Amino acid sequence: MRTRSARAVTADARGPVPRPGPAHRHRLLRLLALPVLSLLFLAGMLPAPAPAAAASKYGDARLDQWSWLTTHNSYTYDWAKPIPPRAQSRNISEQLDHGVRGLMFDTYDREVSGQPGKKAVMLCHKTICYDFFQSELARVVDFLQENRNEVVTIFLENYASRESLTKSIAQVLEDKNATDLLFQPSEQGFNIDKSNWPRVRNMVARNERLVIFQDEWADDIPVTARSNDDVEYGRLMHTWKRTVETTYDYDGNRPSGCLSRNNNKLDLAKMPGTNLTPLFTINQFDSSVLNPESKSHGDNGQSLKNRVEKDCWNVAKREPNYVAVNFYQHSDTPGVTPLSVVDDLNRNAVIIDPHQALWTVSPSKQYVSTIATNRCMVRGDEFEDGQGGLVTQRNCANPAPSSHQWSATPPTGYDGKGFRWIKAGNGSCLTVPYNNGTPPGNDTQLFWWPCETRWFSGSQLWNVIPAKQQGGPAAFYFVNQWTGKCLTLDIPTSAAKAGKVTQAACPKF
């Protein structure tokens, strides 16, 4: 889920929160006789969740929940070698400096020019070779060592032998003192088949920031020390067991639609036999044309944006992880480039898993939990005196009755300073019990209560923080202005006919 930035909520930002008036206090005091969990004083107000970019630009995003600009045939930038046609015009270091984070290399075993009998892994396009693979890989490693928060992915269309390829990679890592840099997907590392992709910030923390895929062997290939095969640095992952991608041949037409390159369906939720979400690549280039540069302008502008947001969203039901293009700096649309499209996917994003404090809002105005199946926030029965009642959770209903409906609206009668009432279908407000002025603690069940219209009442005011689920609808946190705690579905009672809806500590980013 992608949480957009939101203004932090601090009760002391505007001084003490005004207490409810006498009549309101009287009504709430009578309700304190109801059984509730023990209440406690807070040392200070807990702020609302802020964008995680302050600590990590990736927030809580897993690798499959982030997007990266990728260059097709990244190594074919040499003006002196026009045939086959170039796909890029800037070298690898420049590409990385400009924001590219995915590279596509074609690797071959080739005889070194002027050294008969000596072979090396070269970057070639069919019969034309451009540079040593190790030279370009060394530039990638240099960039990663200079930019400790960055992650780079390399896709290898590989024709080299297993030994020559792995030993070439091992030599660069050893020469650069970077043997901890290669991603380890196995049980020795992140164990991705069982646990799914790790959070990118955890990859950064462990320095496993070089991700390499290969399409030659059906297994993940270990890269070991040149002097000791028992010392493993990481693995080259098999592309087709880890990723899905679109086709790349459009017969000279503008890339459109969203057809899979192979038998891996683009909307595949998990790779077969694993708990792994496949990484998704959109290939926004046409390999059939003789002049990729002239065509790249039209491919990289609004056409790309439309394909990401419409064509492929409709098919894959998710955003791409890798957007692969020719001549990434080109576009025919002012303000729209491949980098801006990727930035828009990631902008101010914090991606988290479903959480008991995260809710979606259905078209019928039901507040639906993201953590429990088919559970909605419901206005429970009235108290005996007819003044309000408890807020509960029940199975969602279709059609939704008034008791299941809620809406976030600005308060009337005073300036809510950006906070909202969460109003029930009968016009009452979602309320934190007043508790004689002491902010109640975690797990306190919430009330629906007549809205206070005469003065600022923090117990009924909520900061609505929007989020965007990966592959799902918009979702929201609701943070109480008075307590700094989040509207929360009580998990222990989620199987009951009428469970509890409470406040609890917001997720920490």
Side-chain angles (χ1 to χ4, degrees), residues 9 408-409 416 418-423 429-432 446-447 457-465 477-483 485-488 502-503:
V9 180
T409 63
F419 296 95
R420 296 290 187 267
W421 281 339
I422 309 301
K423 296 188 72 172
C429 277
L430 182 67
T431 304
V432 175
L446 303 181
F447 297 163
S457 181
S459 64
Q460 293 185 335
L461 295 175
W462 301 84
N463 188 12
V464 181
I465 302 178
Y477 295 106
F478 300 93
V479 186
N480 185 255
Q481 193 276 342
W482 182 38
T483 65
K485 295 184 181 294
C486 277
L487 172 67
T488 300
T502 66
Q503 66 163 10

Side-chain angles (χ1 to χ4, degrees), residues 266-285:
L266 300 182
D267 62 351
L268 192 64
K270 301 290 181 183
M271 297 304 291
T274 75
N275 193 40
L276 187 71
T277 304
L279 302 179
F280 173 33
T281 300
I282 287 181
N283 291 313
Q284 185 71 5
F285 57 85

Side-chain angles (χ1 to χ4, degrees), residues 115-257:
Q115 301 183 49
K118 181 178 181 180
K119 288 189 174 183
V121 180
M122 304 286 290
L123 294 174
C124 309
H125 194 273
K126 302 187 184 301
T127 61
I128 305 298
C129 293
Y130 288 81
D131 202 348
F132 292 99
F133 168 60
Q134 286 186 318
S135 298
E136 297 290 30
L137 180 60
R139 294 183 178 98
V140 174
V141 172
D142 287 342
F143 172 82
L144 289 171
Q145 290 180 319
E146 293 168 3
N147 299 272
R148 295 286 177 172
N149 289 317
E150 299 303 322
V151 174
V152 173
T153 301
I154 299 176
F155 294 91
L156 298 179
E157 183 178 322
N158 180 62
Y159 303 93
S161 71
R162 172 172 170 168
E163 180 178 9
S164 61
L165 181 65
T166 56
K167 294 304 181 185
S168 295
I169 294 171
Q171 182 176 352
V172 172
L173 297 178
E174 291 169 357
D175 290 349
K176 295 288 185 180
N177 193 27
T179 56
D180 61 342
L181 201 57
L182 185 61
F183 184 77
Q184 177 58 274
S186 73
E187 295 86 348
Q188 303 172 41
F190 284 107
N191 196 13
I192 61 174
D193 285 340
K194 181 178 180 180
S195 304
N196 211 341
W197 296 105
R199 302 191 192 282
V200 184
R201 59 175 169 79
N202 291 340
M203 295 170 60
V204 171
R206 286 168 56 160
N207 204 36
E208 294 184 24
R209 299 180 291 116
L210 177 60
V211 179
I212 302 182
F213 293 98
Q214 54 79 25
D215 64 352
E216 177 68 12
W217 303 284
D219 298 318
D220 297 340
I221 303 303
V223 174
T224 60
R226 289 180 296 161
S227 60
N228 186 351
D229 286 341
D230 292 331
V231 178
E232 184 174 324
Y233 298 147
R235 298 193 180 183
L236 313 181
M237 292 179 286
H238 182 50
T239 306
W240 306 124
K241 285 186 177 180
R242 307 288 187 234
T243 74
V244 297
E245 66 176 64
T246 68
T247 187
Y248 51 81
D249 193 337
Y250 298 93
D251 296 323
N253 297 312
R254 192 73 63 217
S256 61

Side-chain angles (χ1 to χ4, degrees), residues 319-485:
E319 294 166 344
N321 301 110
Y322 299 97
V323 177
V325 298
N326 290 333
F327 296 93
Y328 65 93
Q329 72 275 23
H330 290 169
S331 171
D332 67 349
T333 307
V336 178
T337 66
L339 183 59
S340 76
V341 169
V342 170
D343 282 347
D344 283 346
L345 295 175
N346 293 329
R347 190 176 307 281
N348 297 324
V350 177
I351 304 175
I352 65 170
D353 295 325
H355 191 275
Q356 56 265 36
L358 194 63
W359 304 76
T360 63
V361 179
S362 74
S364 59
K365 298 183 180 180
Q366 295 186 88
Y367 280 33
V368 185
S369 170
T370 63
I371 197 71
T373 303
N374 194 41
R375 295 295 278 184
C376 283
M377 183 168 74
V378 174
R379 171 170 49 87
D381 294 336
E382 286 185 337
F383 295 129
E384 290 183 0
D385 62 3
Q387 301 250 12
L390 291 173
V391 176
T392 63
Q393 51 163 305
R394 292 178 178 267
N395 289 338
C396 303
N398 184 21
S402 171
S403 60
H404 283 60
Q405 295 180 326
W406 304 83
S407 59
T409 63
T412 58
Y414 58 86
D415 180 8
K417 302 187 183 301
F419 296 95
R420 296 290 187 267
W421 281 339
I422 309 301
K423 296 188 72 172
N426 67 350
S428 298
C429 277
L430 182 67
T431 304
V432 175
Y434 176 58
N435 193 37
N436 251 352
T438 300
N442 292 337
D443 304 320
T444 301
Q445 188 166 5
L446 303 181
F447 297 163
W448 56 270
W449 196 258
C451 300
E452 179 57 70
T453 61
R454 292 169 294 177
W455 44 67
F456 190 93
S457 181
S459 64
Q460 293 185 335
L461 295 175
W462 301 84
N463 188 12
V464 181
I465 302 178
K468 181 181 179 183
Q469 290 192 92
Q470 183 75 8
F476 303 87
Y477 295 106
F478 300 93
V479 186
N480 185 255
Q481 193 276 342
W482 182 38
T483 65
K485 295 184 181 294

